Short mmCIF file of all heavy atoms in Angstrom, two decimals:
data_model
loop_
_atom_site.label_atom_id
_atom_site.label_comp_id
_atom_site.label_asym_id
_atom_site.label_seq_id
_atom_site.Cartn_x
_atom_site.Cartn_y
_atom_site.Cartn_z
N SER A 1 -127.58 -112.86 184.80
CA SER A 1 -128.25 -112.10 185.86
C SER A 1 -129.68 -112.60 186.07
O SER A 1 -130.17 -112.70 187.20
CB SER A 1 -128.29 -110.61 185.50
OG SER A 1 -126.98 -110.09 185.37
N TYR A 2 -130.34 -112.92 184.96
CA TYR A 2 -131.72 -113.41 185.00
C TYR A 2 -131.82 -114.71 185.78
O TYR A 2 -132.71 -114.90 186.61
CB TYR A 2 -132.21 -113.59 183.56
CG TYR A 2 -133.54 -114.26 183.40
CD1 TYR A 2 -134.73 -113.56 183.61
CD2 TYR A 2 -133.63 -115.60 183.01
CE1 TYR A 2 -135.96 -114.18 183.44
CE2 TYR A 2 -134.86 -116.22 182.83
CZ TYR A 2 -136.01 -115.50 183.05
OH TYR A 2 -137.23 -116.12 182.88
N LEU A 3 -130.88 -115.64 185.53
CA LEU A 3 -130.91 -116.94 186.19
C LEU A 3 -130.47 -116.85 187.65
O LEU A 3 -130.86 -117.68 188.47
CB LEU A 3 -130.02 -117.94 185.45
CG LEU A 3 -130.49 -118.35 184.05
CD1 LEU A 3 -129.47 -119.27 183.40
CD2 LEU A 3 -131.84 -119.06 184.11
N GLU A 4 -129.66 -115.85 187.97
CA GLU A 4 -129.16 -115.72 189.33
C GLU A 4 -130.12 -114.98 190.27
O GLU A 4 -129.98 -115.03 191.48
CB GLU A 4 -127.81 -114.98 189.32
CG GLU A 4 -126.66 -115.83 188.79
CD GLU A 4 -125.34 -115.05 188.75
OE1 GLU A 4 -125.40 -113.80 188.65
OE2 GLU A 4 -124.28 -115.70 188.82
N LYS A 5 -131.09 -114.29 189.68
CA LYS A 5 -131.97 -113.47 190.51
C LYS A 5 -132.88 -114.33 191.38
O LYS A 5 -133.08 -115.52 191.13
CB LYS A 5 -132.82 -112.54 189.65
CG LYS A 5 -133.94 -113.25 188.91
CD LYS A 5 -134.76 -112.27 188.10
CE LYS A 5 -135.93 -112.97 187.41
NZ LYS A 5 -136.75 -112.06 186.63
N GLU A 6 -133.42 -113.71 192.40
CA GLU A 6 -134.32 -114.41 193.31
C GLU A 6 -135.60 -114.79 192.58
O GLU A 6 -135.99 -114.17 191.61
CB GLU A 6 -134.68 -113.50 194.50
CG GLU A 6 -133.52 -113.21 195.43
CD GLU A 6 -133.01 -114.44 196.13
OE1 GLU A 6 -133.85 -115.31 196.46
OE2 GLU A 6 -131.80 -114.54 196.34
N GLU A 7 -136.27 -115.79 193.07
CA GLU A 7 -137.53 -116.26 192.46
C GLU A 7 -138.54 -115.13 192.41
O GLU A 7 -138.74 -114.40 193.38
CB GLU A 7 -138.09 -117.42 193.27
CG GLU A 7 -139.41 -117.94 192.73
CD GLU A 7 -139.91 -119.14 193.50
OE1 GLU A 7 -139.16 -119.62 194.35
OE2 GLU A 7 -141.03 -119.56 193.25
N ASP A 8 -139.15 -114.99 191.26
CA ASP A 8 -140.16 -113.95 191.09
C ASP A 8 -141.34 -114.21 192.03
O ASP A 8 -141.76 -115.34 192.23
CB ASP A 8 -140.66 -113.97 189.64
CG ASP A 8 -141.40 -112.70 189.28
OD1 ASP A 8 -142.52 -112.53 189.77
OD2 ASP A 8 -140.86 -111.92 188.51
N ALA A 9 -141.83 -113.12 192.63
CA ALA A 9 -142.91 -113.25 193.63
C ALA A 9 -144.27 -113.37 192.97
O ALA A 9 -145.21 -112.69 193.32
CB ALA A 9 -142.91 -112.03 194.54
N ILE A 10 -144.42 -114.31 192.02
CA ILE A 10 -145.69 -114.44 191.30
C ILE A 10 -146.57 -115.48 191.99
O ILE A 10 -146.42 -116.67 191.79
CB ILE A 10 -145.45 -114.81 189.83
CG1 ILE A 10 -146.75 -114.94 189.10
CG2 ILE A 10 -144.61 -116.04 189.67
CD1 ILE A 10 -146.63 -115.12 187.62
N ILE A 11 -147.39 -115.00 192.87
CA ILE A 11 -148.42 -115.76 193.59
C ILE A 11 -147.94 -117.15 194.07
O ILE A 11 -148.69 -118.13 194.02
CB ILE A 11 -149.71 -115.90 192.75
CG1 ILE A 11 -149.51 -116.40 191.31
CG2 ILE A 11 -150.42 -114.59 192.67
CD1 ILE A 11 -149.34 -117.84 191.11
N LYS A 12 -146.71 -117.23 194.56
CA LYS A 12 -146.19 -118.50 195.06
C LYS A 12 -147.04 -119.02 196.22
O LYS A 12 -147.33 -120.22 196.30
CB LYS A 12 -144.74 -118.32 195.51
CG LYS A 12 -144.09 -119.62 196.03
CD LYS A 12 -142.69 -119.35 196.52
CE LYS A 12 -142.09 -120.62 197.11
NZ LYS A 12 -140.74 -120.39 197.67
N ALA A 13 -147.42 -118.12 197.11
CA ALA A 13 -148.21 -118.52 198.27
C ALA A 13 -149.55 -119.12 197.85
O ALA A 13 -150.02 -120.09 198.43
CB ALA A 13 -148.45 -117.32 199.18
N GLU A 14 -150.16 -118.52 196.81
CA GLU A 14 -151.45 -119.03 196.34
C GLU A 14 -151.30 -120.43 195.77
O GLU A 14 -152.14 -121.30 196.02
CB GLU A 14 -152.02 -118.10 195.28
CG GLU A 14 -152.49 -116.76 195.81
CD GLU A 14 -153.12 -115.91 194.73
OE1 GLU A 14 -153.49 -116.45 193.69
OE2 GLU A 14 -153.20 -114.70 194.93
N ILE A 15 -150.25 -120.65 195.01
CA ILE A 15 -150.04 -121.96 194.38
C ILE A 15 -149.81 -123.03 195.45
O ILE A 15 -150.41 -124.10 195.42
CB ILE A 15 -148.84 -121.91 193.42
CG1 ILE A 15 -149.14 -120.97 192.26
CG2 ILE A 15 -148.51 -123.30 192.88
CD1 ILE A 15 -147.97 -120.73 191.34
N GLU A 16 -148.92 -122.74 196.42
CA GLU A 16 -148.63 -123.70 197.47
C GLU A 16 -149.86 -123.98 198.32
O GLU A 16 -150.11 -125.12 198.72
CB GLU A 16 -147.49 -123.18 198.34
CG GLU A 16 -146.15 -123.15 197.61
CD GLU A 16 -145.04 -122.61 198.47
OE1 GLU A 16 -145.35 -122.01 199.53
OE2 GLU A 16 -143.87 -122.78 198.09
N SER A 17 -150.64 -122.93 198.59
CA SER A 17 -151.84 -123.09 199.39
C SER A 17 -152.85 -123.99 198.68
O SER A 17 -153.49 -124.85 199.29
CB SER A 17 -152.46 -121.72 199.67
OG SER A 17 -153.69 -121.86 200.33
N GLU A 18 -152.96 -123.79 197.36
CA GLU A 18 -153.92 -124.58 196.59
C GLU A 18 -153.54 -126.05 196.55
O GLU A 18 -154.38 -126.94 196.67
CB GLU A 18 -153.99 -124.03 195.16
CG GLU A 18 -154.95 -124.78 194.27
CD GLU A 18 -154.93 -124.27 192.86
OE1 GLU A 18 -153.88 -123.78 192.42
OE2 GLU A 18 -155.96 -124.36 192.20
N ILE A 19 -152.24 -126.31 196.42
CA ILE A 19 -151.76 -127.69 196.34
C ILE A 19 -151.97 -128.43 197.65
O ILE A 19 -152.37 -129.60 197.68
CB ILE A 19 -150.28 -127.72 195.94
CG1 ILE A 19 -150.12 -127.20 194.50
CG2 ILE A 19 -149.70 -129.13 196.04
CD1 ILE A 19 -148.68 -127.02 194.07
N ASN A 20 -151.70 -127.73 198.76
CA ASN A 20 -151.73 -128.37 200.07
C ASN A 20 -153.13 -128.48 200.69
O ASN A 20 -153.35 -129.27 201.59
CB ASN A 20 -150.82 -127.60 201.04
CG ASN A 20 -149.36 -127.67 200.60
OD1 ASN A 20 -148.94 -128.66 200.02
ND2 ASN A 20 -148.60 -126.62 200.87
N SER A 21 -154.07 -127.68 200.24
CA SER A 21 -155.41 -127.71 200.85
C SER A 21 -156.30 -128.73 200.15
O SER A 21 -155.96 -129.29 199.13
CB SER A 21 -156.05 -126.32 200.74
OG SER A 21 -156.37 -126.04 199.39
N ARG A 22 -157.47 -128.96 200.73
CA ARG A 22 -158.44 -129.88 200.13
C ARG A 22 -159.37 -129.18 199.16
O ARG A 22 -160.20 -129.80 198.52
CB ARG A 22 -159.29 -130.54 201.24
CG ARG A 22 -158.56 -131.55 202.10
CD ARG A 22 -157.94 -132.66 201.29
NE ARG A 22 -158.91 -133.30 200.40
CZ ARG A 22 -158.56 -134.02 199.35
NH1 ARG A 22 -157.30 -134.14 199.01
NH2 ARG A 22 -159.50 -134.59 198.62
N ILE A 23 -159.23 -127.87 199.05
CA ILE A 23 -160.09 -127.10 198.16
C ILE A 23 -159.33 -126.70 196.90
O ILE A 23 -158.18 -126.28 196.97
CB ILE A 23 -160.60 -125.82 198.86
CG1 ILE A 23 -161.39 -126.18 200.12
CG2 ILE A 23 -161.48 -124.99 197.91
CD1 ILE A 23 -162.63 -127.03 199.86
N LYS A 24 -159.96 -126.87 195.77
CA LYS A 24 -159.37 -126.47 194.48
C LYS A 24 -160.35 -125.54 193.78
O LYS A 24 -161.56 -125.74 193.84
CB LYS A 24 -159.09 -127.70 193.62
CG LYS A 24 -158.51 -127.38 192.24
CD LYS A 24 -158.23 -128.65 191.47
CE LYS A 24 -157.82 -128.36 190.04
NZ LYS A 24 -156.50 -127.71 189.94
N GLN A 25 -159.81 -124.53 193.11
CA GLN A 25 -160.67 -123.57 192.43
C GLN A 25 -160.87 -123.97 190.97
O GLN A 25 -159.91 -124.15 190.22
CB GLN A 25 -160.08 -122.17 192.49
CG GLN A 25 -161.01 -121.12 191.89
CD GLN A 25 -160.41 -119.74 191.92
OE1 GLN A 25 -159.29 -119.54 191.47
NE2 GLN A 25 -161.15 -118.77 192.45
N CYS A 26 -162.13 -124.10 190.59
CA CYS A 26 -162.47 -124.30 189.19
C CYS A 26 -162.55 -122.90 188.57
O CYS A 26 -163.26 -122.04 189.09
CB CYS A 26 -163.82 -125.00 189.05
SG CYS A 26 -164.44 -125.09 187.35
N PRO A 27 -161.82 -122.64 187.48
CA PRO A 27 -161.81 -121.30 186.87
C PRO A 27 -163.19 -120.82 186.43
O PRO A 27 -163.41 -119.64 186.22
CB PRO A 27 -160.89 -121.46 185.66
CG PRO A 27 -160.06 -122.66 185.97
CD PRO A 27 -160.94 -123.56 186.76
N ARG A 28 -164.14 -121.78 186.36
CA ARG A 28 -165.45 -121.46 185.80
C ARG A 28 -166.53 -121.28 186.87
O ARG A 28 -167.40 -120.43 186.74
CB ARG A 28 -165.86 -122.58 184.85
CG ARG A 28 -166.90 -122.19 183.83
CD ARG A 28 -166.76 -123.10 182.62
NE ARG A 28 -167.83 -122.85 181.68
CZ ARG A 28 -168.96 -123.55 181.64
NH1 ARG A 28 -169.15 -124.52 182.49
NH2 ARG A 28 -169.88 -123.26 180.74
N CYS A 29 -166.47 -122.09 187.94
CA CYS A 29 -167.56 -122.03 188.92
C CYS A 29 -167.09 -121.77 190.35
O CYS A 29 -167.91 -121.64 191.26
CB CYS A 29 -168.39 -123.31 188.87
SG CYS A 29 -167.50 -124.78 189.41
#
């Protein structure tokens, strides 16, 4: 059931946005 379930909605949009844009967030600054 775990493997068949839909992808967890854990900030997918944020990750894709970060990869595709020219801006990257430094966790520190």
Side-chain angles (χ1 to χ4, degrees):
S1 300
Y2 172 78
L3 292 176
E4 287 178 334
K5 75 178 182 180
E6 292 296 324
E7 178 176 353
D8 196 288
I10 181 172
I11 50 81
K12 181 183 177 183
E14 290 183 18
I15 295 174
E16 291 179 346
S17 175
E18 179 183 30
I19 293 173
N20 296 328
S21 70
R22 289 303 308 160
I23 301 299
K24 179 178 173 69
Q25 185 182 51
C26 172
R28 202 155 174 265
C29 67

